[in-house]
């Protein structure tokens, strides 16, 4: 292989600089708004677009810490002014004056007469209304559990709630009530949801029905309710909603002519479809990954989309099936030469069919050193999009394979619930099955297979290092170490997650580990505090199995910027060192 090829490989700093992200897309008053995160800007900002003109709105950084992962962090008032959630304080800022409290705000929306939102503290959630002229705040609904997604149509309000001991993708409810400013809610009624049903994303239609997503059929599909009557809108064996890690997702949107546009997910592949009179028609788009922030602008739908060859971009898609796409905000200039395009695989594991996304090394076809990546979550999925971290390694001669292990979303409720009580077992078994399949198929080099994950994926990697098998080393970034302890140290939102997934022997102990481990953790991680990782590092160091404990100052749970540069370089050095010590060829 030529030296020129390796000179074209992206540096870690190129990957970090390409990490531009778009979220919280909304269409208001003929303009598009979204939150834009850029490593170069150093803060998340509200950005707006109209008629080809893009403007970054002035103000402090915007970002919500509601339920740890966030909720809609801005609202646009009729005047055009914007209310934000301050990313530092969690308080409302901008075109509003509200007394500061010990709450985190999010899920903001303009009701037509007042600002609505959800606020959270250690005792629970409040659904609140704010009068803009005075800043007076009133509590419409309160619970020691969780609230989300206030949606108003005239004198009707809908919202989502779930109990403090469950996760919203396991059990959540849609509620509706009469709504008037300065008055209490009238006649609240549970529309959908319960102990074995996950219902969320309410939206009022112009036809008077309340629409929502529910997995009562085993798949998140769209339903509607009016006056006690519920009926399906479009039944399909696919996921039409995203697991609600953040509050305020919009996997569907109403077109002016009454049709509904929605995302449809099968495994890692997202599509866009239009529903009319119960029939679903696919819209041709150049994207395989679509974020859950759809917004209608006239007769077109605004999306945040990406693919294995396109970075994240914002586009207006024609809903007439013509395939016309107008890019509103292009993706970052990724500068990745010779992009590795993935292949989808099906592998049998424990009686289940597991999907994997294989990225071959750039320009190579034979067996290669391989990095197996269990995704973070674990109630999430692998994204079929251009990933700079993947290209960093494939451009240096490594294959990368992402695994949708049991517990992943995109495969229905039964598959999603399969990991309950089996975390650290089934996920590890599925990653091992994928690795062994690729070794047998001649795609991976025995002794040169690694496992690397972040957050929950980091836990899977650590558990894999505790077993015999194909993995020569594990890399764990921002990793959970002890799920049982995490039920007490995790954010309030996620404590039930750890409780339902973990088994009594789920902790990773240093004396169980059999493979070298690279640990990477941010000092400011509020979702998975660094203490357990530090203790594990001490134990591994004593056994000679700690490759390195890379401690990242001023870095939280999500590693980006200079922290990501250091993490990628440490990971690459660790792989090369293991290969060299084993007498195997070191690519690149």
């Amino acid at each position: 292989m030529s030296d020129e090829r390796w000179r074209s490989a992206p540096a870690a700093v190129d990957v970090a600089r390409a990490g531009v992200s778009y979220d919280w897309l909304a269409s208001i008053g003929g303009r598009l708004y979204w939150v834009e995160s850029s490593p170069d800007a150093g803060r998340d900002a509200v950005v707006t677009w109209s008629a080809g003109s893009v403007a970054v709105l002035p103000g402090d950084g915007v970002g919500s810490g509601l339920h740890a992962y966030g909720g809609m962090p801005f609202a646009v008032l009729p005047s055009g002014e914007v209310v934000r959630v301050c990313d530092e304080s969690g308080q409302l800022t901008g075109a509003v004056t509200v007394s500061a409290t010990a709450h985190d705000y999010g899920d903001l929306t303009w009701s037509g007469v007042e600002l609505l939102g959800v606020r959270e503290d250690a005792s629970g959630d409040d659904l609140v209304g704010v009068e803009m002229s005075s800043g007076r705040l009133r509590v419409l609904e309160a619970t020691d559990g969780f609230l989300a997604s206030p949606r108003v149509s005239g004198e009707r309000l809908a919202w989502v709630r779930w109990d403090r001991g469950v996760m919203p993708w396991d059990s959540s409810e849609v509620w509706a009530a009469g709504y008037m400013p300065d008055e209490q809610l009238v006649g609240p009624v549970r529309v959908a949801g319960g102990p074995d049903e996950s219902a969320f994303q309410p939206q009022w239609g112009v036809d008077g029905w309340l629409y929502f997503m529910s997995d009562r059929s085993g798949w998140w599909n769209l339903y509607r309710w009016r006056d006690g009557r519920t009926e399906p809108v479009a039944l399909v064996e696919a996921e039409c909603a995203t697991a609600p890690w953040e509050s305020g997702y919009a996997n569907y949107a109403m077109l002016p002519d009454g049709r509904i546009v929605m995302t449809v997910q099968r495994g890692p592949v997202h599509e866009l479809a239009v529903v009319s009179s119960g029939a679903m028609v696919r819209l041709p788009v150049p994207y395989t990954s679509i974020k859950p922030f759809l917004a209608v602008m006239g007769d077109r739908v605004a999306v945040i989309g990406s693919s294995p060859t396109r970075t994240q971009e914002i586009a207006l898609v024609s809903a007439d099936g013509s395939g016309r796409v107008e890019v509103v905000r292009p993706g970052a200039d990724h500068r990745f030469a010779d992009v590795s395009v993935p292949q989808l695989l099906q592998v049998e594991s424990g009686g289940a069919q597991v999907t994997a996304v294989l990225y071959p090394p750039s320009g190579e076809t034979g067996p290669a050193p391989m990095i197996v990546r269990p995704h973070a979550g674990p109630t999430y999925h692998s994204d079929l999009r251009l990933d700079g971290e993947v290209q960093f390694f494939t451009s240096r001669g490594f294959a990368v394979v992402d695994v949708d292990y049991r517990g992943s979303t995109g495969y229905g409720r039964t598959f999603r619930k399969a990991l309950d009580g089996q975390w650290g077992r089934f996920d590890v078994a599925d990653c091992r099955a994928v690795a062994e399949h690729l070794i047998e198929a001649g795609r991976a080099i025995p002794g040169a297979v690694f496992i690397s994950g972040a957050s929950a994926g980091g836990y899977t990697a650590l558990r894999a290092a505790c077993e015999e098998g194909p993995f020569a080393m594990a890399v764990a970034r921002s990793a959970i170490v002890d799920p049982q302890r995490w039920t007490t140290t995790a954010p309030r939102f996620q404590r039930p997650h750890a409780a339902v997934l973990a088994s009594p022997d789920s902790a990773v102990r240093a004396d169980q580990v059999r493979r070298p481990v690279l640990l990477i953790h941010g000092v400011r991680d509020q979702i998975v505090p660094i203490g357990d990782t530090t203790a594990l590092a001490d134990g591994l160091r004593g056994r000679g199995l700690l490759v390195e404990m890379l401690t990242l100052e001023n870095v939280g749970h999500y590693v980006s910027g200079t922290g990501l540069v250091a993490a990628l370089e440490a990971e690459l050095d660790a792989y090369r060192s293991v290969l060299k010590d084993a007498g195997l060829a070191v690519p690149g």
Side-chain angles (χ1 to χ4, degrees):
M1 58 190 70
S2 70
D3 292 339
E4 180 62 32
R5 175 182 159 198
W6 301 114
R7 281 198 293 269
S8 69
V13 68
D14 295 327
V15 175
R17 286 174 178 164
V20 177
S21 181
Y22 307 127
D23 295 284
W24 302 113
L25 183 63
S27 175
I28 304 164
R31 304 184 70 89
L32 289 177
Y33 294 81
W34 64 87
V35 172
E36 186 166 315
S37 173
S38 168
D40 292 335
R43 68 181 180 94
D44 291 358
V46 179
V47 179
T48 183
W49 175 92
S50 178
S53 176
V54 174
V56 179
L57 301 185
D60 297 330
V62 60
S64 168
L66 181 70
H67 306 157
Y69 293 92
M72 180 60 165
F74 70 89
V76 181
L77 307 182
S79 63
E81 296 177 289
V82 176
V83 178
R84 300 177 178 84
V85 179
C86 175
D87 60 354
E88 292 288 337
S89 67
Q91 301 294 295
L92 299 179
T93 185
V96 66
T97 303
V98 175
S99 298
T101 59
H103 292 90
D104 282 309
Y105 283 81
D107 248 347
L108 305 186
T109 187
W110 177 247
S111 77
V113 291
E114 65 181 340
L115 178 73
L116 296 179
V118 176
R119 67 178 189 179
E120 175 190 30
D121 66 9
S123 65
D125 281 6
D126 298 328
L127 197 164
V128 300
V130 180
E131 183 184 75
M132 298 308 299
S133 59
S134 66
R136 184 174 62 86
L137 181 147
R138 67 191 182 110
V139 176
L140 289 81
E141 179 82 358
T143 176
D144 64 353
F146 299 89
L147 300 167
S149 305
R151 298 291 182 266
V152 170
S153 176
E155 298 181 355
R156 300 172 298 174
L157 172 67
W159 69 95
V160 175
R161 61 155 291 154
W162 65 97
D163 293 337
R164 64 180 179 177
V166 299
M167 300 306 294
W169 46 76
D170 290 334
S171 171
S172 52
E173 302 170 344
V174 173
W175 284 72
Y179 161 80
M180 287 287 287
D182 297 323
E183 295 183 15
Q184 295 300 308
L185 299 180
V186 178
V189 59
R190 181 171 62 86
V191 170
D196 299 311
E197 180 184 358
S198 170
F200 48 75
Q201 288 195 33
Q203 285 192 50
W204 295 99
V206 295
D207 55 9
W209 291 80
L210 175 61
Y211 290 76
F212 61 91
M213 290 288 182
S214 167
D215 69 350
R216 61 182 61 183
S217 71
W219 301 89
W220 276 315
N221 283 179
L222 187 63
Y223 293 80
R224 64 181 185 176
W225 171 92
R226 183 168 64 183
D227 299 331
R229 175 187 170 193
T230 301
E231 61 184 38
V233 175
L235 293 179
V236 59
E237 289 193 355
E239 301 285 33
C240 299
T242 301
W245 283 94
E246 299 167 293
S247 296
Y249 286 163
N251 284 99
Y252 68 101
M254 312 285 188
L255 292 163
D257 60 8
R259 293 180 299 156
I260 300 169
V261 62
M262 65 171 61
T263 62
V264 179
Q265 180 187 357
R266 294 178 175 88
V269 181
H270 292 179
E271 296 180 340
L272 201 62
V274 168
V275 176
S276 179
S277 302
M280 180 179 290
V281 178
R282 179 179 176 272
L283 288 179
V285 292
Y287 309 118
T288 53
S289 180
I290 301 172
K291 284 192 167 183
F293 305 115
L294 301 188
V296 167
M297 196 167 191
D299 60 356
R300 297 187 290 176
V301 59
V303 304
I304 303 172
S306 53
S307 78
T309 58
R310 299 170 78 129
T311 56
Q312 203 176 110
E313 63 190 30
I314 301 176
L316 287 167
V317 177
S318 296
D320 59 6
S322 65
R324 288 192 295 268
V325 174
E326 178 187 356
V327 176
V328 167
R329 189 65 157 168
D333 177 12
H334 56 76
R335 288 175 265 174
F336 303 148
D338 198 12
V339 170
S340 174
V341 178
Q343 306 160 12
L344 295 183
L345 307 173
Q346 294 288 319
V347 177
E348 194 278 332
S349 175
Q353 286 294 310
V354 173
T355 300
V357 185
L358 173 64
Y359 295 85
S362 301
E364 300 295 320
T365 57
M370 179 167 291
I371 304 164
V372 177
R373 301 199 314 172
H375 59 74
T379 308
Y380 194 62
H381 57 269
S382 301
D383 287 311
L384 196 59
R385 60 177 175 79
L386 184 58
D387 184 331
E389 295 186 39
V390 169
Q391 304 303 321
F392 178 80
F393 291 107
T394 57
S395 65
R396 287 167 171 81
F398 291 83
V400 176
V401 60
D402 292 341
V403 180
D404 275 357
Y405 49 84
R406 280 170 283 181
S408 300
T409 50
Y411 306 89
R413 184 180 178 96
T414 299
F415 193 89
R416 187 171 76 242
K417 296 286 289 177
L419 198 62
D420 290 1
Q422 301 294 335
W423 197 17
R425 296 173 179 168
F426 288 179
D427 47 330
V428 172
D430 295 349
C431 289
R432 183 171 58 244
V434 169
E436 291 171 345
H437 169 81
L438 290 169
I439 291 172
E440 292 173 6
R443 306 297 297 272
I445 299 173
V449 178
F450 311 98
I451 185 166
S452 174
S455 192
Y459 171 71
T460 301
L462 289 174
R463 290 284 296 189
C466 296
E467 300 181 6
E468 295 297 336
F471 303 116
M473 188 189 75
V475 178
R477 183 194 302 176
S478 309
I480 298 152
V481 174
D482 184 347
Q484 293 288 354
R485 247 180 62 77
W486 197 47
T487 62
T488 64
T489 61
R492 186 178 75 99
F493 166 76
Q494 210 166 1
R495 290 176 188 175
H497 200 200
V500 74
L501 289 170
S503 60
D505 61 346
S506 57
V508 176
R509 301 198 313 266
D511 62 358
Q512 295 175 321
V513 175
R514 305 181 185 186
R515 297 287 185 269
V517 173
L518 169 63
L519 296 171
I520 302 168
H521 217 110
V523 172
R524 298 178 62 184
D525 192 335
Q526 308 254 329
I527 292 175
V528 182
I530 194 174
D532 284 351
T533 300
T534 303
L536 179 63
D538 291 341
L540 293 175
R541 189 178 290 109
R543 298 187 60 223
L545 289 174
L546 181 68
V547 175
E548 182 184 0
M549 171 68 190
L550 178 60
T551 301
L552 302 174
E553 301 292 336
N554 300 315
V555 172
H557 191 61
Y558 301 102
V559 180
S560 60
T562 56
L564 179 59
V565 173
L568 288 175
E569 291 176 344
E571 190 170 344
L572 179 61
D573 287 346
Y575 295 148
R576 286 174 168 170
S577 179
V578 169
L579 293 173
K580 183 178 179 182
D581 290 346
L584 297 171
V586 179

